Amino acid sequence: MKNNELSRRNFIQKTGKAGLGLGLSATVLPSAFSCSSAHAIAVNTPPTPYTQQPLPYNYKALEPSIDALTMEIHYTKHAATYTKNLAEATVAEGVNTGSMSLESLLANISKYSAKMRNNGGGHYNHELFWKVMGPKTNALPAEALMSAIQKSFGSFEAFTTQFSDAGKNRFGSGWAWLVLTSDKQLRIGSTPNQDNPLMNVSDLKGFPVLGLDVWEHAYYLKYQNKRPDYITSWWNVVNWKFVSDRYDAAMK
Ligand code: MN3
């Protein structure tokens, strides 16, 4: 599949419109060579759309952990810009967004430009970030995820400490992650910039179960330089129902 996709891209790049003169219809090519299978880690969660989805709560919903102005600017400016730039890159680089999932694109991101990498990651990461948060409920992970966390990290407290440290210690901008590896193990790590663990260029690889944005734009208005305080407060608004369901779906 990957070879076919690469061949198709090379073919189109080399022949351009001349290829169409050989009797190859533009409508036939995508279906014949579509890259619709998921990335290397098989998961049962629906593909992430290329468009920005509505925020699942209002801007004030995560206060006091995350203030309304930060949420509004983060969603309507930062995240919206990644989505817009991703759309530009997919057009410029001939990605058929109807047949290739964003997850597949990220799994093959080394074939594309830095603009695609930064904004494809930026869009995917933020779409996930909004969903892994919600109004404070005092909930904990559901049984299966909690059990896996305890088995992998010793205790829930040890897990949150290790995950928080991954966020605190990420130098500059980036993300902390809880991922499910291809052999179905939980692992904590971080990525720089807008990279994520689905990318074939990432040192940390796996299916992202939980992600935390540690870019300054995610917390600076309320917390200024105090990233650790932001992370401590962020745990209050983790939507464990969503995260647990996501874990369960990925384990199937
Ligand atoms: Mn952000």
Side-chain angles (χ1 to χ4, degrees):
M1 179 279 293
K2 283 179 183 175
N3 287 339
N4 280 348
E5 179 63 20
L6 189 60
S7 302
R8 177 192 152 226
R9 285 179 54 78
N10 287 343
F11 176 79
I12 292 171
Q13 281 164 4
K14 283 174 187 161
T15 59
K17 287 180 181 172
L20 301 178
L22 298 172
L24 291 165
S25 134
T27 55
V28 169
L29 273 174
S31 59
F33 294 95
S34 70
C35 185
S36 57
S37 65
H39 48 83
I41 301 155
V43 292
N44 296 300
T45 53
T48 302
Y50 286 79
T51 50
Q52 191 175 35
Q53 301 300 294
L55 200 63
Y57 37 75
N58 64 47
Y59 299 132
K60 290 182 180 174
L62 306 184
E63 289 190 342
S65 293
I66 303 179
D67 61 286
L69 184 58
T70 294
M71 282 304 297
E72 181 172 358
I73 294 173
H74 201 175
Y75 178 81
T76 65
K77 306 296 182 189
H78 295 281
T81 301
Y82 296 124
T83 308
K84 173 178 159 289
N85 290 341
L86 172 61
E88 289 176 4
T90 56
V91 170
E93 296 172 49
V95 172
N96 184 336
T97 57
S99 63
M100 186 186 286
S101 70
L102 180 55
E103 285 78 359
S104 292
L105 177 77
L106 297 173
N108 294 286
I109 201 68
S110 60
K111 296 177 187 172
Y112 300 94
S113 66
K115 180 172 180 175
M116 191 81 83
R117 176 174 172 173
N118 291 334
N119 294 286
H123 173 68
Y124 181 94
N125 296 346
H126 287 86
E127 287 294 301
L128 176 60
F129 188 52
W130 312 134
K131 295 194 187 81
V132 302
M133 299 188 293
K136 182 175 181 176
T137 62
N138 294 315
L140 288 169
E143 192 176 346
L145 177 57
M146 181 61 103
S147 170
I149 284 174
Q150 290 168 338
K151 182 167 163 257
S152 302
F153 307 107
S155 68
F156 182 69
E157 291 68 30
F159 155 71
T160 57
T161 298
Q162 191 178 328
F163 186 100
S164 295
D165 287 346
K168 291 174 193 171
N169 297 330
R170 166 47 58 187
F171 183 76
S173 298
W175 291 74
W177 301 102
L178 174 68
V179 303
L180 191 64
T181 61
S182 55
D183 56 351
K184 305 286 188 187
Q185 299 298 307
L186 289 177
R187 191 177 159 201
I188 289 167
S190 71
T191 53
N193 306 312
Q194 293 295 354
D195 284 359
N196 74 37
L198 294 176
M199 292 181 174
N200 60 351
V201 295
S202 177
D203 291 335
L204 176 70
K205 285 193 176 63
F207 176 74
V209 175
L210 176 64
L212 168 61
D213 189 344
V214 295
W215 282 58
E216 282 189 347
H217 70 224
Y219 61 87
Y220 200 84
L221 289 180
K222 181 177 172 77
Y223 297 95
Q224 292 84 48
N225 59 311
K226 300 183 283 288
R227 186 192 288 182
D229 291 359
Y230 155 67
I231 294 174
T232 298
S233 190
W234 174 78
W235 287 110
N236 292 323
V237 291
V238 172
N239 181 345
W240 284 114
K241 171 75 168 67
F242 175 85
V243 176
S244 299
D245 288 348
R246 187 173 170 85
Y247 171 77
D248 290 342
M251 285 295 287
K252 278 178 187 162

